[in-house]
Amino acid sequence: MPTPRRETVWFGPYLGGQRARTAVAALHRAFPLHYTGTGLTVAEREMAQARGVGPGQRADLALAVRAVLEREPGAVAALRAELIRRRQAASDEAAYELAGRIQAELEALEWTVAPQRVTVSAAYDLDVSGWHEGVLVTFTIRGGRMLDWRQRACSPRAAAPHLAATPPEWHAFAARNAALAATLAAHTA
């Protein structure tokens, strides 16, 4: 009898290896999927027993991880609440290094589930612009992928046509990045 095919699901892209690894640590902390396999070592089986998981929970834990990575609001909120609970428990026990690691995991989780704008599902060409305090930032999207970005000093009047050509769903993204660029430019001047 042929083996059933498994569905392959891709998430990302996630730029920044350390932050992605920290987000994976958050997922492992709440959803110990790695302890639900059948080929575990003795030590791994003991950890699985201590965490109260086994092969029978594998499918449910995998679905929970998938829900978080698909940015389902309820799943993200539940994971966030669990990490906050664990951070507080660590802090209450004066385990401040652990509480710090969990805080880093919370921050990485927020980064991971934030709206992703590096690629889009439709393969269109677009220039997206944002302006803040004299700095215009423009992102070049071709074939649905962000290829380039530029920033330059620009008056509000000169920025107006670029901002008007930016679709509304991109305004917040472009404005945040322009504010960041303006702040960085002010600190390097």
Side-chain angles (χ1 to χ4, degrees):
M1 173 185 275
T3 304
R5 293 186 59 129
R6 292 187 191 186
E7 177 186 12
T8 301
V9 180
W10 297 96
F11 299 99
Y14 301 116
L15 304 176
Q18 182 58 47
R19 194 169 281 176
R21 285 186 293 279
T22 304
V24 168
L27 292 168
H28 280 294
R29 184 176 303 283
F31 309 114
L33 186 60
H34 54 298
Y35 290 131
T36 61
T38 55
L40 301 177
T41 65
V42 172
E44 290 169 333
R45 283 194 302 273
E46 289 176 7
M47 286 299 296
Q49 185 177 15
R51 303 279 308 264
V53 297
Q57 287 88 20
R58 186 171 190 80
D60 290 340
L61 289 173
L63 286 174
V65 169
R66 181 175 178 165
V68 169
L69 294 176
E70 287 178 341
R71 299 174 172 95
E72 291 181 14
V76 172
L79 177 55
R80 184 182 297 118
E82 177 62 15
L83 291 173
I84 289 169
R85 185 193 66 74
R86 289 181 185 215
R87 180 191 63 196
Q88 186 60 51
S91 181
D92 291 347
E93 294 176 14
Y96 300 119
E97 288 182 18
L98 175 59
R101 280 194 303 274
I102 295 171
Q103 177 60 35
E105 292 170 7
L106 271 162
E107 292 168 7
L109 168 69
E110 296 302 333
W111 170 81
T112 302
V113 300
Q116 188 268 119
R117 298 286 187 173
V118 176
T119 61
V120 293
S121 57
Y124 56 78
D125 296 344
L126 181 66
D127 291 326
V128 173
S129 297
W131 183 89
H132 187 82
E133 295 182 0
V135 176
L136 178 70
V137 175
T138 301
F139 297 90
T140 304
I141 300 168
R142 297 295 178 263
R145 298 197 177 274
M146 191 174 301
L147 296 182
D148 189 27
W149 68 274
R150 301 173 304 283
Q151 74 180 50
R152 64 180 171 96
C154 186
S155 70
R157 184 174 175 204
H162 299 281
L163 301 176
T166 298
E169 63 270 18
W170 288 87
H171 285 178
F173 168 82
R176 279 193 313 271
N177 283 280
L180 175 62
T183 300
L184 292 173
H187 288 288
T188 59

